[in-house]
Amino acid sequence: MYKLFFQLVFKRMDPEQAHRLAFRWIRLAARVPVLRTFAAAALAPRYEELRTEALGLRMHGPFGLAAGFDKNAVAIDGMAMLGFDHIEIGTVTARPQPGNPGKRLFRLVRDRALINRMGFNNEGSAAVAERLAGRDPVFRTTVGVNIGKTKAVPEAEAVSDYVTSTERLARHADYLVVNVSSPNTPGLRNLQATEALRPLLTAVREAADRTVTHRRVPLLVKIAPDLADADVDAVADLAVELGLDGIIATNTTIARDGLGLTSPTALTGETGGLSGEPLGERSLEVLRRLYARVGDRLVLVGVGGVRDAEDAWQRILAGATLVQGYSAFIYEGPFWSRAVHKGLAARLAASPYATLADAVGAENRKAVK
């Protein structure tokens, strides 16, 4: 039914307009007790065998919503209602900003992909912090907060910009993510170089510890799939050295390999970050490389091109404790998370692993043996 609705309605709408409409429906349903109870029962069944412990947190399962869908923390309960085990909000910047001018979001339906150049459009860390502080949760879920650089801030002042957001948001975050990998903010990806990344991550860690004294807020960094392998290794080594809690692999890509064969060239030529199925192979490569480098010393989060339960399972075998998705949700609809969980439970039952934790990185460990 959703796929028919997508073809008849959403596909004919501007992608950003369709996103706002669907977002409004999700938020509305979460506010109406009878609707959210029915929806959660239908869309978010819990599987005891999928319960996950990561980053010092207990989650219903390993599958969450990637940053970018709920930029301003306005639909956390709505997304939990749809079955996501954790919701990563943002990317949030220190200052409010409208993002890049439209048109800035494009569907590549044949490739089951998206291109976006949104540009971190959000209300700013002060407004998002106030919303999180006043939140009265309906569903228990894990909330990650993804922070990025304000576009108007010079690269030389990036550290203080991230620190401002950290000081406002860390107390409201179950975990915090430093995003240095979006292609849509000029100069942002330069911060992935270890000489720039070291002082940034150090300052954010110190700000989080200074702001939140009663617990340690887990800190992760999100990297791009376009990094050279040597740079992936360098970031991994730095994350271990600095005592980070994890790495998210990966953000969107600026590559367009093979897209012209299926999607119209007019779309594939649009600038911005590509997400969805075409990203899957490279994201999986980066994840495998990271796990080979860090093993279980860091929590790895696999994201990029996750289409179904099989893709999520492959991420887990490759070393991901947590898996995230976004683009496939646009094409699969509200039953997507339910299908992923059901498929993961079936794969675990058919596997030689007693628990989901046993499966994490099993592919790599087997290769080493």
Side-chain angles (χ1 to χ4, degrees):
M1 289 179 63
Y2 174 79
K3 290 180 180 179
L4 177 62
F5 183 82
F6 179 88
Q7 291 292 330
L8 295 178
V9 181
F10 277 174
K11 189 176 177 181
R12 302 171 187 271
M13 297 175 65
D14 172 79
E16 196 169 350
Q17 181 185 8
H19 176 91
R20 286 194 295 266
L21 178 62
F23 210 50
R24 193 175 300 121
W25 289 344
I26 293 169
R27 293 171 63 189
L28 176 63
R31 290 192 186 117
V32 180
V34 66
L35 286 179
R36 68 173 179 247
T37 300
F38 174 79
L43 304 176
R46 302 303 184 188
Y47 293 85
E48 188 67 28
E49 62 270 35
L50 296 183
R51 289 190 178 275
T52 300
E53 290 195 16
L55 304 171
L57 306 166
R58 294 182 178 180
M59 307 182 197
H60 293 297
F63 189 56
L65 181 69
F69 195 87
D70 186 359
K71 297 176 182 293
N72 294 304
V74 297
I76 293 171
D77 281 321
M79 304 317 296
M81 176 187 71
L82 297 183
F84 292 102
D85 302 313
H86 65 275
I87 292 94
E88 190 170 306
I89 66 159
T91 295
V92 184
T93 54
R95 306 178 192 175
Q97 56 185 31
N100 294 323
K103 188 175 181 180
R104 54 190 185 179
L105 180 62
F106 307 87
R107 295 193 205 95
L108 283 66
V109 178
R110 296 178 187 174
D111 287 293
R112 297 176 64 81
L114 301 171
I115 291 175
N116 93 83
R117 50 173 180 264
M118 303 299 290
F120 289 170
N121 54 308
N122 74 103
E123 297 174 5
S125 57
V128 174
E130 183 178 0
R131 182 170 294 117
L132 288 171
R135 179 172 171 256
D136 183 16
V138 175
F139 298 103
R140 186 185 72 80
T141 191
T142 298
V143 179
V145 178
N146 183 303
I147 58 173
K149 185 182 83 68
T150 305
K151 183 177 181 179
V153 169
E155 193 176 326
E157 300 173 17
V159 171
S160 62
D161 191 64
Y162 278 89
V163 165
T164 297
S165 292
T166 302
E167 291 173 340
R168 291 170 176 168
L169 292 165
R171 72 186 77 238
H172 308 296
D174 289 317
Y175 68 87
L176 197 64
V177 181
V178 170
N179 185 352
V180 287
S181 48
S182 169
N184 299 318
T185 296
L188 185 72
R189 287 192 169 192
N190 295 338
L191 299 175
Q192 291 178 112
T194 53
E195 61 269 20
L197 191 56
R198 182 189 303 275
L200 171 59
L201 293 175
T202 300
V204 170
R205 177 73 272 167
E206 290 174 351
D209 291 342
R210 185 172 62 250
T211 305
V212 185
T213 58
H214 63 285
R215 65 183 175 97
R216 186 180 186 277
V217 181
L219 179 62
L220 299 86
V221 63
K222 187 170 186 175
I223 64 173
D226 307 308
L227 285 177
D229 288 345
D231 293 325
V232 172
D233 292 345
V235 172
D237 293 345
L238 179 63
V240 171
E241 176 193 334
L242 296 180
L244 260 64
D245 298 276
I247 300 176
I248 299 180
T250 63
N251 212 317
T252 58
T253 179
I254 57 174
R256 298 290 187 269
D257 299 341
L259 284 181
L261 300 176
T262 51
S263 292
T265 304
L267 288 178
T268 61
E270 293 289 350
T271 60
L274 173 72
S275 61
E277 287 188 26
L279 180 57
E281 184 176 344
R282 176 56 183 166
S283 289
L284 187 54
E285 286 176 0
V286 173
L287 177 64
R288 285 173 172 149
R289 190 172 192 92
L290 286 169
Y291 189 79
R293 196 80 176 183
V294 306
D296 59 4
R297 290 178 290 176
L298 299 176
V299 170
L300 300 180
V301 183
V303 58
V306 176
R307 174 188 57 187
D308 53 23
E310 179 60 25
D311 287 335
W313 181 242
Q314 292 303 318
R315 297 303 193 281
I316 291 167
L317 294 178
T321 301
L322 301 176
V323 181
Q324 293 179 343
Y326 176 172
S327 298
F329 179 50
I330 307 302
Y331 294 106
E332 295 296 327
F335 281 88
W336 181 49
S337 180
R338 175 192 172 109
V340 170
H341 283 92
K342 182 178 180 180
L344 279 177
R347 283 160 176 78
L348 178 61
S351 78
Y353 312 113
T355 68
L356 200 61
D358 292 338
V360 174
E363 167 195 282
N364 199 289
R365 294 195 300 270
K366 184 177 180 181
V368 170
K369 292 179 182 178

